[in-house]
Amino acid sequence: MTYESQTWISKMPWSSYAAVAWCFLFGSLHLYWALGGTVGFVEMSMPPNKILALTRDPLYIGITWSVVIVCTFGAIIALAPFQTWSQRIPRWLLLTPLWIACSISLLRGIGNLIQTLLIIAGIMPFEPLAGPDAQAWQQWLLIDSTIFSPWFILGGFVFGVTAWSARRPTPRAPDGWESAR
């Protein structure tokens, strides 16, 4: 097999690598927390969930494990459309999970960013800001709008570009070329 035939079949877009990196970083942080790591676990939790994080509530830890599993699946779906074995799978089956990941990530990122901006601007009432946990909620809104929302927007972008890049089957090698294995 020649180098040209190998790159013809297995060319993967940058966005696929970026989606895998996104999943790796987000999933690794949650794996660290699920395995007992504490740095940032309480601080990155919403005010009502801080006590769950502090006490390592089994349900809260279970949700953390589910994030690890979803990120693993996300990395696989970001790579799958560009593998030679995927040519046997219906294209819609490869694209649907990518578009779902794109949509959910963008909805989470843009939706929460808009909500936070409306709350901070005083346009949308948010009663916890007037309660005893007002400072904790203000800190959470700041963390969410500066870290989490942009992070999810980035994830939606890379999954969307990956889905767009995968919308057509990977081109087959021209006649006479060996297929990549």
Side-chain angles (χ1 to χ4, degrees):
M1 170 181 2
T2 66
Y3 173 75
E4 292 83 13
S5 66
Q6 191 174 23
T7 57
W8 178 265
I9 295 295
S10 63
K11 187 155 177 105
M12 200 167 343
W14 64 267
S15 60
S16 187
Y17 293 110
V20 170
W22 188 93
C23 290
F24 178 78
L25 291 171
F26 199 61
S28 295
L29 180 61
H30 283 78
L31 179 62
Y32 164 74
W33 289 334
L35 291 173
T38 57
V39 175
F41 192 46
V42 174
E43 295 80 6
M44 296 292 182
S45 296
M46 288 176 50
N49 297 340
K50 288 186 184 293
I51 192 69
L52 299 175
L54 277 171
T55 60
R56 301 203 53 83
D57 179 75
L59 180 60
Y60 200 62
I61 298 302
I63 292 169
T64 305
W65 274 109
S66 69
V67 172
V68 174
I69 293 166
V70 167
C71 285
T72 302
F73 180 70
I76 292 168
I77 66 168
L79 296 172
F82 308 101
Q83 305 304 311
T84 54
W85 54 262
S86 72
Q87 293 176 0
R88 295 178 290 224
I89 299 172
R91 209 78 195 143
W92 68 268
L93 204 54
L94 295 168
L95 293 175
T96 300
L98 288 169
W99 285 119
I100 290 171
C102 168
S103 301
I104 290 173
S105 295
L106 286 176
L107 184 64
R108 162 60 174 93
I110 295 170
N112 277 32
L113 185 59
I114 291 170
Q115 180 184 26
T116 298
L117 294 174
L118 291 173
I119 290 169
I120 290 172
I123 298 170
M124 176 185 258
F126 189 63
E127 291 183 26
L129 288 179
D133 293 332
Q135 185 176 2
W137 275 107
Q138 287 173 342
Q139 180 183 4
W140 167 253
L141 291 173
L142 180 65
I143 289 171
D144 188 61
S145 62
T146 59
I147 297 173
F148 292 128
S149 289
W151 181 255
F152 280 96
I153 291 169
L154 174 65
F157 174 74
V158 296
F159 275 104
V161 172
T162 301
W164 183 259
S165 300
R167 71 192 182 285
R168 297 193 192 282
T170 305
R172 296 192 187 279
D175 290 338
W177 286 27
E178 294 179 31
S179 62
R181 296 177 204 246

